[in-house]
Each structure stands twice: as structure tokens, then as C-alpha cells.
């Protein structure tokens, strides 16, 4: 799909959550380069202000920001209010975060926040945007999940479970909305070079097949019509094809040992 075709189907305006860094920021930059107006959602005003100013100046597009914490119940209404009057053709539900370590050491409040951001937010946002996309007769939804959604991961059990929720949500919506002309993609990246790894204390040098946020975002936009799920990177797809061929318990034990290390 060329740029003109992409804009016709998924423009003129896209909403991107988690847009202040990582995959969300990379998606915003690629969409701006395709002359698509943006509504950027994140918590950090300074980063969104800087990104909005840069993209609107560089690409002559309209960029609006919405400062919202998707871990809070009021955030969905704040996002929808920011979208009033805009013709939204694409929702990139990308905001999310994780936690690593033994489950008994996880902070209960942090786990609740993670479920709100990783599960509640995409569920509520898609529910609110679907009527608008159906009225248009075309459009798209990208939900950022993870390869951890595809298997139980020891020492990352709550995060993997939350991403299994979002992957299943995307898969179900893909079948539900296909007859309405709405494309849905569950994006399942493996290791991605973002600040999230630093926040979790992960040594990036130990990760195999790590991709840049820009590479992941590019594959997401290129494959939005190839749902229900997509694992970015041929290397990563090959690894998980091999893992899926193993007995389930062996695969879970192997990935748990890898995560522990």
C-alpha cells in the first residue's frame, strides 16, 4: 500500500497513545511523514509538546496533544474529548508498561496500574472508537501486545498475562470488524530498543534479535491489513515458530530460565 492509499484508508487523522517515546513516537513520526494529522496521547507534556512542534513544523500537519494517564479511569474520556470533531481513521493503542521478577515481589499497586494501562485502556478505547470507524466504512486499529502474549513467562507472569489479554482482544476484534472494512492488528514485538528495557533493569547487550522502535513501527504500519497478529522481525518470527513447535511445558520452562537469567 503506497502513501496515498494508506492515507485514504487510515487518514486523515490518527490517534497514537504512548506517543512520548518508543514505538508510539516512532509510529507518530512515520504517520506524520505520510501527511496524516495526529492526536498524541501520553503523560509527559514536555515530550509531547516537543514532538508535536517538530512534526507539525517538519510535515505541515495538524498535531494535537492529550495529556492523560491511561492508568486512571478518567483518561478514556479525556482522550475522546480531545478527538471531538476529528475524522479518526486509525487508532494506535500503544501505551503500556511491564514489570519483571518473582511474582511474590511485585507491588500490588503497580500491578493494578499495569492492568489498567495494558488491558483496560485498549479495551475501552477500541469500544469507543469502533462506532466512529464503522460510520466511516473503513479504518484501522493497532494494539501493541508482545511476544510474551503467546506463552506464559516465568518472572514476567503478570506482564505476559496482560499482553495475552491485549493480543486476544485484537484477534477477536479482527474477526468482528473485518466485515465492516476495519483492519485490526495485534502487534507482538520481541526485544525492542526502548527506554522500557532500561526502566526494567534489563541489559540490552544480552538480548538477541533486538529491533529499533522505528523498525517495529514500520512493520506495524506495513502489516495493519495482515491481521490478526504480527511478530516484527524475521528472526523473531523464526524463533517463536520453533518455540511453538515444542511441547508447551518445555517451552514455558525454557523461556522462564531465559527470563530468569
Amino acid at each position: 500500500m503506497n502513501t496515498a492509499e494508506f492515507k485514504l484508508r487510515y487518514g486523515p487523522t490518527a490517534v497514537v497513545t504512548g506517543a512520548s517515546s518508543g514505538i508510539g513516537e516512532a509510529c507518530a513520526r512515520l504517520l506524520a511523514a505520510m501527511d496524516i494529522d495526529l492526536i498524541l496521547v501520553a503523560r509527559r507534556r514536555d515530550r509531547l509538546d516537543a514532538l508535536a512542534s517538530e512534526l507539525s513544523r517538519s510535515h505541515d500537519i495538524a498535531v494535537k496533544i492529550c495529556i492523560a494517564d491511561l492508568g486512571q479511569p478518567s483518561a478514556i474520556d479525556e482522550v475522546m474529548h480531545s478527538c471531538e470533531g476529528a475524522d479518526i481513521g486509525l487508532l494506535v493503542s500503544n501505551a503500556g508498561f511491564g514489570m519483571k521478577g518473582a511474582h511474590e515481589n511485585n507491588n500490588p499497586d503497580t500491578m493494578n496500574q499495569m492492568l489498567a494501562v495494558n488491558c483496560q485502556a485498549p479495551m475501552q478505547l477500541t469500544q469507543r472508537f469502533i462506532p466512529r470507524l464503522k460510520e466511516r466504512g473503513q479504518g484501522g486499529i493497532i494494539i501493541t501486545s508482545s511476544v510474551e502474549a503467546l506463552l506464559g513467562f516465568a518472572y514476567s507472569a503478570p506482564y505476559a498475562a496482560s499482553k495475552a489479554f491485549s493480543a486476544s482482544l485484537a484477534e477477536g476484534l479482527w474477526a468482528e470488524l473485518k466485515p465492516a472494512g476495519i483492519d485490526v492488528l495485534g502487534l507482538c514485538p520481541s526485544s525492542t530498543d526502548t527506554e522500557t528495557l532500561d526502566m526494567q533493569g534489563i541489559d540490552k547487550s544480552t538480548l538477541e534479535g533486538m529491533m529499533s522502535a522505528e523498525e517495529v513501527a514500520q512493520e506495524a504500519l506495513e502489516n495493519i491489513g495482515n491481521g490478526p497478529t504480527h511478530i516484527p522481525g524475521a528472526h523473531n518470527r523464526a524463533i517463536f515458530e520453533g518455540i511453538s513447535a515444542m511441547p508447551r511445558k518445555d517451552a514455558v520452562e525454557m523461556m522462564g530460565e531465559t527470563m530468569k537469567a
Side-chain angles (χ1 to χ4, degrees):
M1 187 181 301
N2 63 36
T3 297
E5 291 171 338
F6 190 98
K7 183 178 180 180
L8 180 64
R9 184 165 181 80
Y10 305 114
T13 304
V15 176
V16 182
T17 71
S20 61
S21 65
I23 297 169
E25 179 184 349
C27 280
R29 291 184 179 279
L30 291 172
L31 291 167
M34 290 190 280
D35 195 35
I36 293 177
D37 294 334
L38 296 169
I39 298 175
L40 305 178
V41 183
R43 295 173 301 159
R44 295 175 287 192
R45 179 180 293 275
D46 56 340
R47 291 199 179 191
L48 283 192
D49 279 338
L51 181 61
S53 177
E54 176 192 344
L55 296 182
S56 61
R57 182 178 63 254
S58 300
H59 301 286
D60 193 26
I61 60 169
V63 183
K64 186 175 183 180
I65 67 170
C66 173
I67 309 303
D69 179 354
L70 291 173
Q72 301 301 316
S74 62
I76 304 302
D77 286 337
E78 293 170 8
V79 174
M80 300 311 298
H81 178 72
S82 296
C83 296
E84 288 181 1
D87 184 5
I88 308 296
L90 177 63
L91 167 65
V92 181
S93 181
N94 170 76
F97 71 94
M99 53 201 310
K100 297 289 184 280
H103 186 41
E104 69 266 25
N105 297 329
N106 287 325
N107 181 281
D109 291 335
T110 305
M111 286 192 291
N112 284 335
Q113 284 290 302
M114 185 179 68
L115 289 179
V117 176
N118 294 4
C119 302
Q120 282 282 354
M123 181 173 64
Q124 299 293 345
L125 284 173
T126 51
Q127 191 270 340
R128 300 282 286 271
F129 275 106
I130 284 170
R132 297 173 63 148
L133 294 173
K134 281 188 171 181
E135 187 176 353
R136 301 176 81 250
Q138 62 181 9
I141 297 170
I142 296 173
I143 300 175
T144 300
S145 181
S146 168
V147 291
E148 292 190 34
L150 310 178
L151 197 69
F153 273 71
Y155 304 101
S156 186
Y159 173 72
S162 74
K163 288 303 186 178
F165 180 99
S166 60
S168 181
L169 176 68
E171 192 170 51
L173 292 179
W174 171 81
E176 185 175 325
L177 299 178
K178 189 176 181 179
I182 302 169
D183 298 321
V184 182
L185 180 70
L187 181 68
C188 295
S190 186
S191 301
T192 307
D193 190 2
T194 68
E195 63 184 26
T196 299
L197 297 178
D198 297 323
M199 293 170 63
Q200 293 177 343
I202 296 174
D203 182 356
K204 294 178 183 179
S205 66
T206 66
L207 301 177
E208 186 178 357
M210 186 164 62
M211 300 176 67
S212 70
E214 292 74 19
E215 290 171 324
V216 173
Q218 184 71 49
E219 286 205 30
L221 299 181
E222 288 175 351
N223 287 279
I224 186 173
N226 299 323
T229 60
H230 177 71
I231 299 174
H235 175 80
N236 295 325
R237 288 191 293 275
I239 288 175
F240 273 84
E241 285 174 6
I243 291 172
S244 65
M246 297 172 61
R248 184 81 173 183
K249 65 178 183 179
D250 293 343
V252 171
E253 287 180 349
M254 182 185 75
M255 298 312 296
E257 288 301 316
T258 300
M259 185 66 69
K260 184 179 180 179

